[in-house]
Amino acid sequence: MQDKPSTQTTARLVIWYVTAVAAISASPYLSAVLADSGVAAGTIASIMLLVPIGRIFGAPFWGWIADRTGAHQLVFRAATILGAVSGLGFIVADTPALLAGSVFLMAISRAPVFPIADATTISILGEDRRHYGRIRAAGSVAFLVAVGASGVLRGTYSRAPLIIGGGLLIATAVVSWGFPQIQTSPRRPTLANLAKLISHPVLMPLTGILVLHGMTITVYEGLFSLHVETLGFEPWVTGAAISLGVLVEVGVLMSSKRLLDHIGPLPLLIFAVAVGVPRWIITGSTSDPTLLVLTQGLHGFHFGAFWIAGVALFSEHAPKNLAASAQSLLPASTFGVGYFAAMALGSVLLGPLSLQQFFGVMAGVSALATVLTTILYFRTPSLPK
């Protein structure tokens, strides 16, 4: 039986997640900051495609290199240093082109960070791995504070979210040197092992479903703040909406073990995916700021329940020597391919359709993903319940 992690090890994990997750706080404001420079909505969607492109190619590539060489610690630290460079770009960027370059560097450098950290955290927790959500919740609390401060300060200084996010990217690189020793499998994976992972009867259908779910999650990251300001609301509305969603998310993450034990990973995922239907129907139809804010409380389930279910499913089905590669499929499919698909669709439809109508399309995507996840559940009786 594996010993439980020491208090010091747990503290180091928590500190890392606090800074790393909080650093994401600039992302919801990127589209609004670009709009400040006079960039059109369709062009903003095209620029935001740089984020998923970096994630699509970065996560699997870095994850495979880490697993194949066993140099997880080196890959991890190098990636956070590149992330710090992108953070400096956020702070000094004074043109849309420079900001776009910093966004791409952030995406490709951050791609391997969470898969490696999540795989390591689950390994360290051992039999308590379903408590992973409690550690991740600390990061969500920090994100809540950072994104709330960004929303308030943006009303005074429009680039405040970039300054805060950039500073936290630099801080993440610093604390990454104190991250616990990353454990690796003595068996190095081969291309044949990778082929088995790619053709896995559970993980591959699941990856496809997560692409659809990712579209409905990342459109929030990419376009919600622009939607709020298009409706004529003050920037604090974005901060309040995101903050409420993260508060609910923290509660979900803190309850991760109970939810996984009593509901099971895949039924929990079905629920998380289905939440997108009412969320985007209401978001796309209301012009009441209060209702708009309250509706984003559903994000806590839409993301939080999905994340703990997804991490559990990938960790339980992945070969030990492909832990980082398997975990990289989660962000690559959801925040890579899913984000790319959402922004590509947005670059085509925004113009003919309003943002409100586009959110209605996202409700339809959530409905399709719910049906497919339910089919996977009933067709795979061997899945852990």
Side-chain angles (χ1 to χ4, degrees):
M1 181 180 295
Q2 181 175 322
D3 293 336
K4 291 185 178 181
S6 67
T7 301
Q8 182 182 25
T9 297
T10 302
R12 289 159 69 186
L13 289 171
V14 168
I15 290 171
W16 186 85
Y17 276 101
V18 162
T19 54
V21 178
I24 306 172
S25 61
S27 296
Y29 296 97
L30 289 175
S31 60
V33 172
L34 286 167
D36 291 341
S37 301
V39 182
T43 304
I44 290 173
S46 298
I47 291 175
M48 296 301 288
L49 286 175
L50 293 171
V51 175
I53 289 173
R55 290 169 177 167
I56 290 168
F57 293 104
F61 172 77
W62 286 105
W64 167 249
I65 293 298
D67 284 333
R68 186 74 180 90
T69 64
H72 293 71
Q73 203 93 32
L74 178 61
V75 170
F76 183 73
R77 289 175 176 174
T80 59
I81 290 172
L82 286 177
V85 175
S86 73
L88 182 61
F90 275 18
I91 293 172
V92 303
D94 56 1
T95 66
L98 183 55
L99 179 56
S102 299
V103 167
F104 180 70
L105 181 59
M106 176 192 69
I108 201 166
S109 63
R110 299 269 289 182
V113 171
F114 282 103
I116 292 176
D118 289 342
T120 301
T121 301
I122 290 169
S123 176
I124 290 173
L125 291 175
E127 293 185 358
D128 287 335
R129 63 184 180 276
R130 288 192 168 185
H131 282 302
Y132 155 84
R134 292 189 176 185
I135 293 177
R136 177 60 171 72
S140 295
V141 173
F143 175 83
L144 172 64
V145 174
V147 81
S150 296
V152 172
L153 294 176
R154 178 167 158 74
T156 303
Y157 180 52
S158 63
R159 297 186 70 256
L162 299 184
I163 305 299
I164 294 172
L168 287 166
L169 283 168
I170 295 171
T172 300
V174 174
V175 302
S176 290
W177 290 85
F179 193 79
Q181 183 64 37
I182 297 175
Q183 303 170 12
T184 60
S185 171
R187 294 174 54 245
R188 296 289 177 261
T190 64
L191 290 176
N193 298 139
L194 187 61
K196 289 183 179 180
L197 177 63
I198 293 173
S199 60
H200 194 283
V202 173
L203 297 185
M204 283 308 99
L206 183 61
T207 299
I209 291 168
L210 292 183
V211 169
L212 296 175
H213 186 55
M215 291 177 67
T216 68
I217 290 180
T218 56
V219 75
Y220 180 59
E221 176 184 339
L223 298 174
F224 181 73
S225 65
L226 180 61
H227 173 60
V228 169
E229 296 187 16
T230 298
L231 291 174
F233 301 145
E234 294 295 323
W236 67 263
V237 173
T238 298
I242 295 173
S243 297
L244 177 61
V246 176
L247 277 174
V248 178
E249 175 189 320
V250 169
V252 172
L253 291 172
M254 290 295 292
S255 305
S256 61
K257 188 177 188 302
R258 180 178 299 177
L259 290 171
L260 291 171
D261 287 346
H262 293 282
I263 299 177
L266 197 53
L268 183 61
L269 181 62
I270 294 171
F271 171 71
V273 171
V275 163
V277 177
R279 179 188 185 183
W280 291 118
I281 288 176
I282 298 172
T283 298
S285 60
T286 186
S287 58
D288 180 352
T290 301
L291 181 57
L292 186 64
V293 169
L294 291 176
T295 300
Q296 304 321 307
L298 293 174
H299 175 79
F301 301 102
H302 200 205
F303 172 78
F306 137 74
W307 190 255
I308 59 176
V311 169
L313 285 167
F314 277 95
S315 67
E316 290 173 9
H317 286 279
K320 295 296 183 183
N321 60 343
L322 282 171
S325 297
Q327 286 295 338
S328 72
L329 293 175
L330 182 58
S333 59
T334 307
F335 303 111
V337 182
Y339 197 159
F340 184 91
M343 292 301 102
L345 191 62
S347 66
V348 173
L349 295 183
L350 288 173
L353 298 182
S354 66
L355 275 170
Q356 291 94 324
Q357 292 170 324
F358 186 66
F359 290 149
V361 173
M362 291 298 102
V365 173
S366 286
L368 174 60
T370 302
V371 171
L372 293 176
T373 312
T374 304
I375 292 173
L376 177 62
Y377 176 78
F378 285 110
R379 288 190 175 182
T380 316
S382 61
L383 269 172
K385 299 296 192 287

